[in-house]
Amino acid sequence: MTGLRDNQHIQLLDRVKLRRDIWVPLSFGVLGFMPIVCLALAMFEIVPLHLSGPGVALPAAFAAIALGVRFPRYGRLAARGYLMALVAVWMYDVTRALSILTGQWNDFIPNIGAQLLHRHEGHAPLGYAWRWLGNGVAWGSRSSWSTPSSPEGVRSSRLP
């Protein structure tokens, strides 16, 4: 009985390996959301950002880059989504800047930098780097993988 189950698990894994159109985009999505997950864990005081940032988000970024290099068509799509997300973050920050400059809204981004450095004083450059490079990845992952077509417009369920 155990040998039959093992064989079924092996067959299932073989089928999953063939479905790159599912597991590669899903992997990019999971890896891309790690900076926001780390930030949420820090906000709820579950895992501090100075630990989860370098321990989870940074390795996830390297894994996403490696995945993009290993599967270049998907990597190009992920890079395009990342660039679109950077534009979106920039546009949002421009609208936020007006409220911050007029005193209607406090700028919370330096607090992200402070959490990353494990200190009380805000650090705007690091906070904005996290926001643009980290959260941009998350937004780009969601944006680029929400399209119904495969990379480069190929409408196949299996990519080479």
Side-chain angles (χ1 to χ4, degrees):
M1 187 76 165
T2 324
L4 180 62
R5 282 189 189 176
D6 289 342
N7 191 29
Q8 288 173 335
H9 286 121
I10 291 170
Q11 288 176 352
L12 177 64
L13 286 174
D14 287 341
R15 281 189 281 168
V16 168
K17 281 190 239 178
L18 293 175
R19 295 301 310 260
R20 280 188 218 152
D21 61 321
I22 295 173
W23 70 263
V24 173
L26 184 62
S27 298
F28 270 114
V30 168
L31 293 170
F33 269 99
M34 285 301 107
I36 288 179
V37 168
C38 292
L39 191 56
L41 291 173
M43 299 310 282
F44 287 107
E45 298 180 358
I46 297 170
V47 179
L49 195 57
H50 72 277
L51 296 176
S52 64
V56 176
L58 198 56
F62 288 130
I65 291 168
L67 193 62
V69 169
R70 173 65 179 91
F71 301 102
R73 290 198 284 176
Y74 287 104
R76 285 190 295 275
L77 183 63
R80 189 175 9 190
Y82 182 71
L83 291 174
M84 290 186 315
L86 286 177
V87 170
V89 171
W90 177 79
M91 291 171 62
Y92 178 67
D93 280 350
V94 166
T95 61
R96 265 184 354 99
L98 297 172
S99 297
I100 291 169
L101 291 173
T102 59
Q104 297 173 353
W105 196 0
N106 290 329
D107 190 8
F108 58 89
I109 302 299
N111 296 334
I112 296 172
Q115 288 185 31
L116 283 165
L117 295 174
H118 193 54
R119 66 182 202 184
H120 294 289
E121 309 84 35
H123 194 280
L126 187 56
Y128 275 94
W130 178 273
R131 174 169 172 68
W132 282 55
L133 302 175
N135 293 358
V137 170
W139 286 11
S141 296
R142 192 206 81 237
S143 300
S144 63
W145 299 116
S146 63
T147 58
S149 64
S150 298
E152 306 302 324
V154 176
R155 298 228 179 240
S156 169
S157 62
R158 293 198 176 122
L159 292 172

